Amino acid sequence: MRQQFEKMMIMVQQALPGSNVNNNGAQAIDPAVPANNQDIIILGGSNAPGVKGVSNTVEKYSIVEGKSSQLPGMNLARRVSASCVYNGSDSEAGTDSIEILKMNQHPLRWTMFDAKLPVKLSAHDVTVYQNKLYIIGGHNWNEDKSSDAIYELSLAPPYIVKLLARMPQPRRNHRAEIVNGKLFILGGSTTDKSKDATDSVVVYDFIKNEIKPCPSLPEPVSEMSSVTWGNMIIVVGGLHKNNQDLNDVIMYHIETGRSDRLPSLKHNRRGASAVTMHDVIVVLGGANDEEGNLNSVESFTMGDDQWKELPGMKEKKYYATAAENVDEIRESQDVINVKVDQIQENVDVMKQTQDVINVKVNKMKENVDEMKQTQAEMKADQMAFEAEVRNQFQRMTEMLNQLHGRNITNNAAQALDPPVPDNNQDIIILGGIYAPGLKSVSNTVEKFNIAKGKSIHLPKLNRPRAESASCVYNGDVIITGGFDGKAGTDSIEILKINQDPLRWMFDGKLPVKLSAHDVTVYQDKLYVMGGYNWNENKTNDQIYERSIIPPYTAKPLATMPQPTRYHRAEIVNGKLFTLGGTTTDLCKDAIDNVVVYDFIKNEFKSCRSLPKPVCDMSTVTWGNMIILIGGQDKNDQVLNDVYMYDTGAEQRQNMPPLIHKRTGSSAVIMHDVIVVLGGWNKEEGYLNSVESFTMGDDHWRELSGIKEKRYFANAVVEPRN
């Protein structure tokens, strides 16, 4: 966690010059908050359960003194409202009325604003941009439903209001922030229930008048609070779709869509209020199931490694709103005005520079065709060179084997001592089915050490998964799709092995909801093959290509010769081999097909078939070979067959059979040792047994079992950074 935060702070320092960053990446700020900007105004909210607990009280809280003073109460009691600061006033929006508090008038007093919201709203959000008030989403009391509207309200007479745009989906209890002149809308729920929370992020472009999707938040969340810091939106607390109160703090990068985790809050909080003052975030009130409505306050200085508890407010405030005092805002506006004047003075110079650039661009365009031709020739030469290198390497390996007298058996399997290096003996096993029935899908994860024959539990997946597919990329374990006991899912979870503490996080989605598919990583792309498409209720014949890095673009790459599920796919020598499987959910429709997809030519080619139709098997690769293990044939017989498929010569060779028959097992290869875990057979039922085979031996060896029985689970070798 600290290593990730240090990297993040270094990037922030580069983006915001002039920040003093010490050796651990924490930004040293002295003082953290200017003396003229240390007060927060907290408005309304619920101070107790029930409708009668809605408050009209207003406090001014000093974060330096840790004390609150009462300000004049509002005309109406308000909760789940929205507020903002405009031109030195604090405008409070609720029902369809708007109240305003002019901070420079004496005595202070809330007055009803002449304008009204276009409809009666709660659980919405508002923000001010270019002298306009923008109202986003919420619960529309006129129509008794969640709103998908973005309204624009002029803050000067005649207070014109208009419908500006409609969001892709209605949402309430969300957050909205203006960054770099664009309106970002994050999370929330489509109804008044947490189970309908969303992780979606969209951005509205005022100039183009269009809404575009952005990379999602790490998890569905509503009732959170948010602040902005530079090009970042910081999402604080909230309520997960499983109805759990959160203490998570997420930094969302608007330019890349990446989400980084900041240190967690001391208290779980939903419906809290938050402001940022210079580089200090202050979170006030809210509620959680353990403590009820809160009056507690905590702060976080950007660069620190923990939140700090501050003295509490006078009253408990849940679903209140908060705004910082406006003195510094006025000073910042003066600075902005000066910079705007300077920018306008430079416009003519920029236009002249643009003319020079246009001339150079035209010259560059003249050379494009020549560059493309040269690039094509270079790519052809590179492919020929890589092929020759592979051939030379294979011949060299054969010569070295002969020179060193390595023990090669008749089936070309190599006997090694020791078979597995000490630093690579751990296997991570994920999910699966442990007993009959739909409710027996597991979200548990264990790490199995083959030398010690022992398992330890790792953090659980966020959702149960069986018939999913997993892989390793860049030191991270990735699990995709699968069946959760109720339906298929398109979600992807990722476990960063080097983070502390370990935790599974949602990381994007598959193009469709899939189970019984397979995935593999090649050249920084995730390839998704076949499976059962829950969106269309049929077996999938598509290969999808999905970027592993933001913005996580996905596209259909190719159509397989026939739809396939419960198959296996492996990359060998830069080509994608797809083996066996079934065209339906029945073993009688199992196939013996082998096809290879050429990424460069974008075409499929049929290869020599497997010895017999098979599905539900597991596979590993060893050099140019794909080793197929167990499975079920089209007669519904569970197999202990193991054979090696030579992808170059398209030859098949039997290997020693498994000790146990296995279908739906998981397999990995560690150096020259194959390890097979779990599965199912008719005689023993669900399996937790483990067996291994060292290439060159004549039999499999029984190892100690894993903690839990696992059928249609996933397994990967623990990545080492």
Side-chain angles (χ1 to χ4, degrees):
M1 173 79 173
R2 288 193 178 96
Q3 291 174 348
Q4 286 182 314
F5 190 63
E6 181 175 349
K7 293 177 183 175
M8 180 187 69
M9 291 305 301
I10 292 171
M11 291 190 293
V12 170
Q13 183 194 20
Q14 294 169 349
L16 301 172
S19 295
N20 173 26
V21 177
N22 59 27
N23 289 336
N24 69 359
Q27 184 171 349
I29 304 165
D30 187 20
V33 179
N36 66 343
N37 194 33
Q38 297 173 344
D39 294 336
I40 303 169
I41 300 172
I42 312 101
L43 311 95
S46 295
N47 53 27
V51 176
K52 293 183 179 179
V54 180
S55 170
N56 71 334
T57 61
V58 180
E59 300 182 30
K60 182 169 74 172
Y61 181 86
S62 169
I63 67 169
V64 174
E65 298 177 1
K67 292 182 180 179
S68 286
S69 59
Q70 292 288 150
L71 294 182
M74 295 177 291
N75 293 292
L76 297 178
R78 298 174 187 263
R79 70 187 287 269
V80 207
S81 53
S83 66
C84 60
V85 173
Y86 169 69
N87 204 23
S89 300
D90 199 337
S91 304
E92 172 66 27
T95 64
D96 61 352
S97 67
I98 301 174
E99 294 187 48
I100 186 166
L101 178 67
K102 294 185 178 294
M103 298 302 296
N104 59 355
Q105 76 177 5
H106 295 283
L108 289 175
R109 180 185 177 188
W110 288 91
T111 57
M112 302 303 290
F113 197 48
D114 291 338
K116 287 190 175 184
L117 298 177
V119 293
K120 294 180 180 180
L121 286 174
S122 62
H124 57 295
D125 207 356
V126 298
T127 187
V128 169
Y129 181 62
Q130 293 182 343
N131 299 324
K132 302 285 177 64
L133 182 71
Y134 292 92
I135 305 114
I136 306 102
H139 177 69
N140 182 332
W141 290 81
N142 297 59
E143 300 179 6
D144 194 23
K145 67 178 184 180
S146 297
S147 172
D148 63 354
I150 300 175
Y151 294 102
E152 178 187 271
L153 170 65
S154 174
L155 291 172
Y159 307 119
I160 298 170
V161 63
K162 67 177 181 180
L163 176 64
L164 195 64
R166 292 207 178 267
M167 297 180 288
Q169 62 186 142
R171 60 178 87 199
R172 62 170 83 177
N173 294 315
H174 53 288
R175 294 300 298 168
E177 299 285 359
I178 297 277
V179 185
N180 290 344
K182 293 183 179 179
L183 175 62
F184 288 82
I185 305 163
L186 307 93
S189 176
T190 56
T191 69
D192 62 345
K193 295 181 172 56
S194 60
K195 71 180 181 65
D196 298 314
T198 178
D199 58 1
S200 76
V201 180
V202 296
V203 58
Y204 175 73
D205 190 314
F206 290 95
I207 297 173
K208 297 179 181 178
N209 189 29
E210 66 180 16
I211 296 178
K212 281 174 38 179
C214 302
S216 300
L217 297 172
E219 54 195 359
V221 62
S222 62
E223 300 185 28
M224 65 288 200
S225 48
S226 66
V227 296
T228 60
W229 189 65
N231 287 335
M232 268 66 89
I233 299 174
I234 299 171
V235 179
V236 183
L239 188 63
H240 192 275
K241 71 181 301 176
N242 61 12
N243 208 34
Q244 294 297 308
D245 298 318
L246 302 176
N247 65 347
D248 297 346
V249 183
I250 303 295
M251 178 179 281
Y252 184 86
H253 299 247
I254 64 157
E255 293 180 348
T256 64
R258 192 179 79 245
S259 292
D260 291 312
R261 291 190 178 270
L262 296 180
S264 299
L265 294 165
K266 291 182 177 294
H267 302 265
N268 293 340
R269 296 179 189 267
R270 68 179 186 272
S273 308
V275 300
T276 183
M277 309 170 77
H278 199 54
D279 284 353
V280 177
I281 305 170
V282 182
V283 180
L284 311 97
N288 63 51
D289 290 342
E290 295 77 21
E291 301 170 276
N293 290 2
L294 301 172
N295 71 332
S296 62
V297 181
E298 47 188 305
S299 71
F300 177 76
T301 301
M302 298 302 294
D304 281 357
D305 59 359
Q306 62 179 339
W307 286 76
K308 176 184 174 186
E309 189 93 36
L310 300 181
M313 303 177 289
K314 284 181 179 291
E315 297 183 13
K316 297 179 179 180
K317 288 186 177 287
Y318 172 45
Y319 277 135
T321 57
E324 59 185 297
N325 209 348
V326 299
D327 292 337
E328 189 184 68
I329 293 176
R330 289 173 178 163
E331 294 179 5
S332 300
Q333 187 63 48
D334 292 340
V335 174
I336 291 170
N337 290 338
V338 171
K339 291 184 177 180
V340 168
D341 292 339
Q342 292 173 346
I343 291 170
Q344 289 175 344
E345 292 174 1
N346 292 328
V347 168
D348 291 338
V349 177
M350 292 171 64
K351 287 181 178 178
Q352 294 175 4
T353 305
Q354 186 63 48
D355 292 338
V356 175
I357 292 173
N358 290 340
V359 172
K360 292 183 178 180
V361 167
N362 290 333
K363 290 181 180 180
M364 291 171 64
K365 286 180 179 178
E366 294 174 1
N367 296 325
V368 167
D369 291 339
E370 183 179 347
M371 291 169 64
K372 285 183 178 179
Q373 183 177 354
T374 303
Q375 184 180 16
E377 293 172 354
M378 291 172 64
K379 187 172 183 179
D381 292 342
Q382 181 184 0
M383 290 168 55
F385 174 74
E386 289 176 351
E388 181 61 25
V389 168
R390 284 195 294 269
N391 292 335
Q392 292 285 356
F393 184 75
Q394 187 173 349
R395 287 195 289 269
M396 181 182 68
T397 302
E398 293 171 356
M399 293 171 60
L400 285 172
N401 287 337
Q402 295 170 0
L403 287 170
H404 290 286
R406 299 179 85 176
N407 177 26
I408 306 294
T409 67
N410 291 336
N411 68 358
Q414 182 178 340
L416 298 175
D417 185 25
V420 179
D422 290 340
N423 66 344
N424 197 29
Q425 297 178 339
D426 291 326
I427 302 169
I428 297 176
I429 312 102
L430 311 95
I433 302 171
Y434 57 87
L438 298 179
K439 294 183 179 180
S440 301
V441 180
S442 173
N443 68 340
T444 62
V445 181
E446 24 181 321
K447 181 167 72 172
F448 179 80
N449 184 281
I450 66 167
K452 298 177 181 178
K454 292 183 179 180
S455 283
I456 60 171
H457 275 117
L458 295 182
K460 294 180 180 180
L461 298 163
N462 288 296
R463 68 190 308 159
R465 294 177 190 266
E467 301 182 354
S468 51
S470 62
C471 59
V472 171
Y473 172 73
N474 219 16
D476 300 334
V477 179
I478 301 172
I479 186 166
T480 68
F483 175 75
D484 64 5
K486 297 179 181 178
T489 178
D490 57 2
S491 67
I492 299 174
E493 294 186 54
I494 183 169
L495 179 68
K496 294 183 178 293
I497 294 297
N498 61 352
Q499 78 177 1
D500 186 19
L502 288 174
R503 180 180 181 187
W504 288 93
M505 297 180 294
F506 287 106
D507 190 48
K509 294 183 178 181
L510 296 174
V512 294
K513 294 180 179 179
L514 287 174
S515 61
H517 58 295
D518 207 355
V519 299
T520 187
V521 170
Y522 180 61
Q523 292 183 343
D524 298 325
K525 300 287 177 62
L526 182 72
Y527 292 93
V528 187
M529 288 74 66
Y532 178 71
N533 183 332
W534 289 79
N535 297 66
E536 300 178 4
N537 195 26
K538 67 178 184 180
T539 304
N540 183 33
D541 63 358
Q542 292 296 305
I543 297 180
Y544 297 98
E545 177 189 87
R546 181 186 182 274
S547 173
I548 299 181
I549 57 175
Y552 305 117
T553 53
K555 65 177 182 180
L557 188 67
T559 301
M560 297 187 289
Q562 63 188 129
T564 309
R565 63 170 100 169
Y566 300 113
H567 55 290
R568 296 299 297 168
E570 300 282 1
I571 297 278
V572 181
N573 290 336
K575 294 183 179 180
L576 176 61
F577 289 81
T578 306
L579 308 96
T582 176
T583 57
T584 70
D585 63 342
L586 302 176
C587 292
K588 71 179 182 66
D589 297 315
I591 57 177
D592 59 2
N593 292 13
V594 179
V595 294
V596 58
Y597 175 75
D598 190 318
F599 291 93
I600 297 174
K601 297 179 181 178
N602 188 28
E603 65 179 21
F604 280 97
K605 194 179 81 171
S606 296
C607 302
R608 187 181 181 187
S609 299
L610 302 175
K612 58 184 174 183
V614 63
C615 60
D616 300 353
M617 66 287 197
S618 51
T619 59
V620 296
T621 60
W622 189 66
N624 290 334
M625 317 292 181
I626 299 175
I627 299 169
L628 292 91
I629 303 162
Q632 268 183 291
D633 66 16
K634 66 187 309 172
N635 298 319
D636 209 30
Q637 296 299 307
V638 180
L639 307 174
N640 65 345
D641 296 349
V642 182
Y643 52 92
M644 186 158 47
Y645 186 95
D646 187 331
T647 61
E650 297 185 8
Q651 295 178 348
R652 307 160 304 185
Q653 185 170 343
N654 290 328
M655 295 176 62
L658 295 165
I659 299 170
H660 302 267
K661 295 178 181 179
R662 298 178 189 266
T663 182
S665 63
S666 309
V668 300
I669 188 164
M670 310 168 79
H671 201 53
D672 284 354
V673 176
I674 305 169
V675 182
V676 181
L677 311 98
W680 179 90
N681 64 47
K682 295 177 182 177
E683 295 77 19
E684 300 168 274
Y686 296 87
L687 302 174
N688 70 332
S689 61
V690 181
E691 48 189 300
S692 71
F693 179 82
T694 302
M695 300 301 291
D697 280 358
D698 60 359
H699 68 281
W700 287 76
R701 184 163 68 100
E702 187 96 33
L703 302 182
S704 301
I706 49 180
K707 285 182 178 290
E708 298 179 24
K709 297 177 180 181
R710 295 181 185 272
Y711 172 50
F712 280 128
N714 292 138
V716 298
V717 178
E718 182 182 27
R720 301 289 179 179
N721 294 323

